[in-house]
Amino acid sequence: MTAPPDPNDEELLPRLRAREEAAFRLLVRRHHVRLVAVARGLSLPQEAAEEVVQEAWIAAMRNLDGFEGRSSLRTWLTGIVVLMARKAAAARRRTRTFSDLAGPDDEEGGVDADAFLADGHWREPPWHWSEVDLERALAGRQVWAAVQEAIGALPPLQASVIRQRDVEGLGARETEAMLGLSEARQRALLDRARFRIRATFERLTREAPARAMP
Amino acid sequence: MKCREAAEHASALLDHDLDLTLRARLRLHLAACAPCRRFAEQVRATRDLLRGAPAPAPDPGREDAVVAALLRGKPEPDDGP
Ligand SMILES: [Zn+2]
């Protein structure tokens, strides 16, 4: 016998309405980091994003009766975070300097222009590596840990989009509804994020000690 | 199509997000160009490695703080007395 799988979000609803601690904990563990990434993507620095998400958790759990199940609980939670993060970001813009806002580098990091000659050919073709080389380079570290680290190093909006699209596997439309980013904007951010993470993986495999002879 | 353009579209190809003409031109280029094929394959591998990566758990301290706040059901600041 294997242990029963964790209940999904919707199955947790009655326990959340009963304010059961274990249910709160499961939901927070499952969504908190992703929700903070969403808030970061809306121009909040890390600490402010954490605060907004904590407030959003409280607001959401106080208003669970307002959740009508027309969307998933995940989508509903994300919507609350987006609303509150936008409000907080606007308030910060009124009172803070621009220097502590995240985001200007979100437009960077397309295909590396330096990798190409002026005529559009590769200056230096991609290093030859595959998933196996990456695992070897990580020397026993979990690939997933390296993935999360690479996502964490992205500019905030890129990180937010790639989490929704590639990690969670949500479609462009659902992501647009959640984050309010047009599909074209998502396209640009997602491309940049994938290229950056590919480059990170390439660097990891390149920097790994030369393969030992078997 | 030049390599640079091919590389730029390698990610959209994964999402079937290219119009027919562009996709055909890209496929033609990839068929003839090993470095771009390698690049496109690596972009695909990258995307595949991300899928389903478990969300990192929040710091234990942060998780405890959020759960405690939820249990208190702390009133929102504008709730008034
Ligand atoms: Zn090429």
Side-chain angles (χ1 to χ4, degrees):
Chain A
M1 287 273 298
T2 52
D6 277 346
N8 69 31
D9 291 348
E10 279 65 32
E11 287 164 353
L12 280 177
L13 272 174
R15 293 166 58 192
L16 294 168
R17 291 202 166 104
R19 314 182 51 74
E20 193 194 300
E21 177 172 353
F24 282 154
R25 194 170 287 280
L26 205 54
L27 200 69
V28 169
R29 192 168 295 170
R30 197 173 279 164
H31 295 294
H32 185 79
V33 170
R34 184 182 63 82
L35 293 173
V36 171
V38 167
R40 293 270 287 121
L42 295 166
S43 301
L44 290 174
Q46 183 69 24
E47 201 45 42
E50 290 278 5
E51 278 167 26
V52 160
V53 173
Q54 176 157 338
E55 282 167 30
W57 276 119
I58 292 167
M61 292 303 110
R62 283 165 62 84
N63 292 297
L64 260 184
D65 291 338
F67 173 68
E68 292 167 346
R70 264 179 286 164
S71 60
S72 66
L73 193 61
R74 165 211 297 278
T75 303
W76 183 72
L77 282 171
T78 308
I80 295 173
V81 167
V82 167
L83 217 65
M84 295 179 69
R86 287 225 172 95
K87 224 163 139 186
R92 289 178 66 85
R93 269 195 292 279
R94 284 194 296 272
T95 58
R96 311 283 169 99
T97 59
F98 257 94
S99 62
D100 60 3
L101 292 178
D105 53 352
D106 268 309
E107 309 305 326
E108 294 172 5
V111 168
D112 184 2
D114 292 342
F116 297 92
L117 299 167
D119 67 2
H121 285 98
W122 290 98
R123 183 189 302 278
E124 196 183 347
W127 177 256
H128 198 112
W129 63 271
S130 69
E131 193 180 332
V132 180
D133 302 306
L134 180 63
E135 280 169 7
R136 195 173 287 137
L138 291 171
R141 270 176 76 221
Q142 290 289 323
V143 174
W144 282 346
V147 165
Q148 294 296 354
E149 208 171 284
I151 294 176
L154 292 172
L157 202 49
Q158 289 182 23
S160 177
V161 168
I162 203 166
R163 266 191 209 291
Q164 302 282 336
R165 294 286 304 272
D166 283 353
V167 180
E168 310 278 333
L170 300 176
R173 269 196 214 145
E174 201 171 356
T175 303
E176 177 169 2
M178 277 189 182
L179 301 181
L181 291 168
S182 69
E183 294 193 19
R185 195 82 204 289
Q186 288 179 49
R187 174 83 273 142
L189 291 160
L190 185 59
D191 289 352
R192 292 182 170 110
R194 284 176 180 162
F195 294 151
R196 279 201 185 199
I197 294 181
R198 188 209 70 86
T200 301
F201 289 166
E202 175 165 304
R203 200 172 52 245
L204 283 169
T205 55
R206 267 186 114 133
E207 285 169 359
R211 264 169 238 178
M213 295 296 285
Chain B
M1 182 179 283
K2 296 285 171 53
C3 292
R4 181 166 182 177
E5 193 188 350
E8 273 161 4
H9 292 307
S11 161
L13 182 68
L14 297 177
D15 306 305
H16 311 287
D17 201 9
L18 295 175
D19 67 48
L20 276 177
T21 321
L22 194 51
R23 196 170 66 208
R25 287 174 58 222
L26 177 56
R27 289 215 182 279
L28 212 60
H29 182 98
L30 291 179
C33 179
C36 285
R37 215 155 49 232
R38 184 186 300 166
F39 181 84
E41 205 31 66
Q42 291 172 351
V43 174
R44 175 187 299 281
T46 299
R47 195 270 316 259
D48 291 348
L49 282 166
L50 297 181
R51 176 56 58 87
D59 300 340
R62 179 72 62 179
E63 180 182 307
D64 288 344
V66 173
V67 172
L70 290 178
L71 288 171
R72 277 199 307 276
K74 194 180 84 180
E76 287 164 76
D78 58 356
D79 263 10

